[in-house]
Amino acid sequence: MAKTHVTMKVNGAEVEGLVEPRTLLVHFIRENLALTGTHIGCETTHCGACTVDIDGMSVKSCTMFAVQAQGSDIMTIEGVANADGSLSALQEGFRMMHGLQCGFCTPGMILRAQRLLKENPSPTEAEIRMGISGNICRCTGYQNIVKAIQYAAAKINGVEFQEAAE
Amino acid sequence: MNDMTPTREQREAKLEGMGCKRKRVEDIRFTQGRGNYVDDVKLPGMLHGDFVRSPHAHARVKSINSEEALKVPGVLAVITAETLKTVNLVWMPTLAGDVQMVLADGKVLFQNQEVAFVVATDRYAADDGINKVVVEYEPLPPLIDPFKALDADAPVLREDLAGKMTGAHGPRKHHNHIFEWTVGDKDLTDAAFRKAEVTIKEMISYHRTHPSPLETCQCVCSFDKIKGELTIWGTFQAPHVIRTVVALIAKIPEHKIHVIAPDIGGGFGNKVGAYPGYICAAVASIVTGKPVKWVEDRIENLTATSFARDYHMTTEIAATREGKVTGLRVHVLADHGAFDACADPSKWPAGFFNIVTGSYDFPTAHLSVDGIYTNKAPGGVAYRCSFRVTEAAYCIERGMDILAQKLGMDPAELRLKNFIKAEQFPYHSALGWEYDSGDYHTAMRKMMETVDYAGLRKEQAEKRAAFKRGETREIMGLGVSFFTEIVGAGPSKNCDILGIAMFDSCEIRMHPTGAGIARVGTKSQGQGHETTWAQIIATEIGIPADDIMVEEGNTDTAPYGLGTYGSRSTPVAGAAIAMAARKIKAKAQMIAAYKLEVHEGDLEWDIDGFRVKGLPEKSMSMKDICWAAYNSVPPGMEPGLEAVSYYDPPNMTYPFGAYICVMNIDVDTGVYKVRRFYALDDCGTRINPMIIEGQVHGGLTEAFAIAMGQEIRYDDEGNVVTGSFMDFFMPTAVETPHWETDFTVTPSPHHPIGAKGVGESPNVGGVPAFSNAVNDAFSFLGSTHIQMPHDFWRNWKAAKNLGVFA
């Protein structure tokens, strides 16, 4: 199949590649760019393990073609940590609040949560739950993921995180 | 001693040992996308394999034509049963004593069964190739309804077993019969029923569901022709067993097989078994001389690998009018699909289902299970449970509620009346298990007090009265469940897989600087072993957990172990870890005695080292002993500080718990709302309370999914109608309830650290709690039992059937 030349910005760096028109973005990211933090879980846009940030939106990269991302600005989990290599507030929140177990959904979950907090810096619990409802977790059961996002929101807003009583 | 000397508490805290909410070391890589899962493995020249699968549930394969497929650019090979026959691999042994087709041999027995394996240069080309393979089928009548499997005119599914009247577990009584398993005293139980003042009988079904870890099953196989060595990276919950199975069936010497289970994206039992994909990828690598990757897609995962449950349990309880149970009789029709590929220890055709007497002191019980073939996917697995304990717990917990209803008793009171008492442990159940320890009454009462059980019942009574007066259309249910699990498979006296005893193992190597590595025979799929195993060692030998690296999953380096499933890691490997650490400590004590010039018996252990009794200033830290182990051991002693333990547990462990679900249901829409869910778990000694809480949350979320909607469903033709996350219920953060967790601690008396295992308890206890809540809500309208899953539609239908509206 004839290949198309694509260029885009991924985690701040200009990248390019030759792909078939049918190549899924997630495969381009994982195979061509060797950024394997973006995972494939369901292939029907339901689980969110493949979530990346494209031009300011959370996008499931398993149902988007690489050619559709031509010229876009993408962030994957590999671009989330702070510039000095330390964990971002969300990454730290997931660790501190035990918001992950097998870690397979975590990159997508963190990318989604990051966009959510950009759109709504102080979400309520219900807003967080709705905000991450496109991302499925099979191990941890969401409660601690919600806490992780609340922890990060508090840290980003410079307020003290108060864990809600059981 | 000066002011800088750390206190005992500070020294203890520094270890981050058992009981500490130590943050997970795994998270550093997982939160940055630096995990290394199987699909991340990329080898030079690697090929990709994919399956042609059957569209029919039951059909004869007339012909397979690969000609056009082989013309597709990038396609290198199409492997069929004919190819596999040349290497004698067309059928493989299952974990349950049956055999399973690797690729369709003459006919197919379930929809999406593997028919041919296309190998190509990339996954897109492989997919192109699949579409060009032409398979001619002659459809046969499918057998979907398990209740018709043993009819005289039921279609013959397994032609390979024609005329075989004996199976792996004794006589077969029909061409679709796999085994009959009976346990208990039939005569005594029948007599109890004859004498009973009250009896109940109900068909309680536990529907077919699926573990569905987010990462599907996958592998990369690489055969090195020069060395004659096969390396397999795979999503394996039991890598050592996979290596042995491969050695047995592929006839490659075991030491020339390297099995590596890297990070695993959830398992839940789905990744215990051996699947055709592994065999085909290995054969393809041998045939092509190149590494071959096989990655299952979600539809394949849901339809072809490892279903769970599908047990239809006719449950009878005999009791006195006062509510004392006197007998339990259960018959199970067990739908095992097309091949009996269930992951159970060899001697247990229906797993540990005979834990079905649950937490209650049944004087007598009798169980019989008929395993049957149907045209459904094979490979029943212990999905987040210890070999069918979820089915057993559901059966007895529903049964007890139904009995309570018949007696007009409160379900919690009925349970308290029949619990095994604390002083009865170790307790011998009527169906043959020895429960190690328990204090059920305390757990149950703590649950009832915490949630104000009496108050909730009062509220329910008021709500029911209001409903009857027509003032509300909402009904309220209280789902009480109390479970006893049986985990820690298991003792070699009664547990093995394919003849390999189910011990587990740990090897610890302490290095001169006081840091070390522990290699363990288990394999975490998210349970956090790298964190918790180090905590056990930290407490046992006084070296900070941060200084212990834990490694699992590489059969070249880890000692032989039976892997992680059935909540067996802490009860079995956790014990092996403690025992290996104690060997380290024993040698350390000899070294310390030599260095301190005292008798060994004059030393006492003090958090992170030994000190001379009565002379606290004369001591030696474990860190210093590590150094001494490499330069000044006692004469005649080998240098070094290493130990290995293979732990064969004397018994299973029996964690338990008291759960309650409070739910409201709108009868006009069937919409439910979980108002409250409280889970009290007793898993014995707690290694990391944070991780235990996380496991409970996760297990409850899966229990919620199963009880309230998740089901693998087939139509009459055997088409799977729930083959993707579009129609297989996956709860999101929106519908998942809030969980309240609590605990009591009753250590296991025979486990070195008293730990029992917890990962599966919330699934085992959670499902009956949800189902009992729904059933309790409807009970005052005259309903005794409504089958799961209790989705909105079924709730609405239940209300309609009960005449709540026209």
Side-chain angles (χ1 to χ4, degrees), chain B residues 167-239:
Chain B
H169 303 287
R172 301 170 67 223
K173 55 192 180 195
H174 183 276
H175 54 257
N176 292 327
H177 190 240
I178 309 172
F179 62 83
E180 182 182 14
W181 183 45
T182 59
V183 202
D185 191 324
K186 187 171 188 313
D187 293 341
L188 207 59
T189 306
D190 288 346
F193 275 85
R194 278 195 300 276
K195 281 187 284 186
E197 293 169 349
V198 181
T199 61
I200 61 124
K201 181 175 185 176
E202 193 70 51
M203 160 62 77
I204 296 168
S205 282
Y206 198 137
H207 58 287
R208 182 174 273 236
T209 185
H210 194 279
S212 301
L214 267 199
E215 180 202 40
T216 57
C217 296
Q218 35 203 277
C219 70
V220 177
C221 295
S222 180
F223 185 69
D224 182 329
K225 277 189 182 170
I226 309 296
K227 293 187 194 161
E229 293 181 15
L230 177 65
T231 306
I232 307 175
W233 289 260
T235 46
F236 302 135
Q237 291 182 232

Side-chain angles (χ1 to χ4, degrees), chain A residues 22-24 27 30-31 36-37 39-44 46-47 77-78 81 85 87 91 94-96 98 100-107 110 129-130 132-133 136 138-144 147 166, chain B residues 23-24 27-28 30-33 37 39-40 42 123-124 128 211-212 214-215 264-266 268 297-298 383 525-526 690-691 694-695 697-698 701-702 710 725-726 730-734 736 738-741:
Chain A
R22 63 176 172 173
T23 302
L24 295 171
H27 287 143
R30 289 180 51 80
E31 309 293 336
T36 55
H39 297 142
I40 304 170
C42 72
E43 294 149 294
T44 49
H46 280 76
C47 81
I77 188 67
E78 287 87 351
L87 297 184
Q91 288 170 318
F94 271 73
R95 180 162 193 247
M96 297 302 288
H98 189 32
L100 65 145
Q101 285 179 28
C102 79
F104 200 76
C105 74
T106 309
I110 288 176
R129 284 184 179 261
M130 186 56 83
I132 59 167
S133 63
I136 288 170
R138 289 291 285 155
C139 302
T140 298
Y142 306 113
Q143 200 153 315
N144 288 345
K147 275 190 207 167
E166 277 277 292
Chain B
K23 297 291 177 280
R24 298 199 334 160
D27 297 354
I28 306 286
F30 290 157
T31 53
Q32 299 183 79
Y37 301 89
D39 196 28
D40 304 343
K42 199 172 176 181
R123 60 181 81 202
Y124 289 76
D128 289 342
S212 301
L214 267 199
E215 180 202 40
I264 298 183
F268 316 118
D297 71 25
R298 180 56 56 187
Y383 166 24
Q525 313 117 42
M690 177 190 81
I691 285 180
Q695 293 260 301
H697 287 181
T701 304
E702 293 192 353
Q710 195 172 77
F725 286 172
M726 282 188 266
M730 278 280 137
T732 74
V734 172
T736 301
H738 177 84
W739 311 117
E740 295 170 57
T741 59

Side-chain angles (χ1 to χ4, degrees), chain B residues 102-116:
Chain B
V102 174
L103 289 171
D105 185 18
K107 73 173 194 171
V108 288
L109 288 165
F110 63 95
Q111 190 181 53
N112 279 355
Q113 185 178 334
E114 299 81 0
V115 175

Side-chain angles (χ1 to χ4, degrees), chain B residues 15-19 534-543 585 605 607:
Chain B
L15 297 179
E16 293 198 283
M18 284 190 278
Q535 290 182 259
I536 297 176
I537 296 168
T539 296
E540 290 288 343
I541 68 169
I543 291 288
K585 196 166 155 185
W605 179 250
I607 297 172

Side-chain angles (χ1 to χ4, degrees), chain B residues 488-553:
Chain B
S492 62
K493 65 185 178 198
N494 54 16
C495 279
D496 69 85
I497 282 187
L498 294 175
I500 306 164
M502 293 182 75
F503 54 84
D504 229 296
S505 59
C506 173
E507 178 200 81
I508 301 171
R509 293 184 189 174
M510 295 309 300
H511 310 319
T513 55
I517 181 164
R519 294 188 167 107
V520 190
T522 45
K523 178 61 215 172
S524 174
Q525 313 117 42
Q527 293 91 339
H529 291 175
E530 287 168 56
T531 305
T532 51
W533 292 166
Q535 290 182 259
I536 297 176
I537 296 168
T539 296
E540 290 288 343
I541 68 169
I543 291 288
D546 277 348
D547 292 337
I548 306 290
M549 186 169 94
V550 173
E551 192 185 272
E552 298 179 322

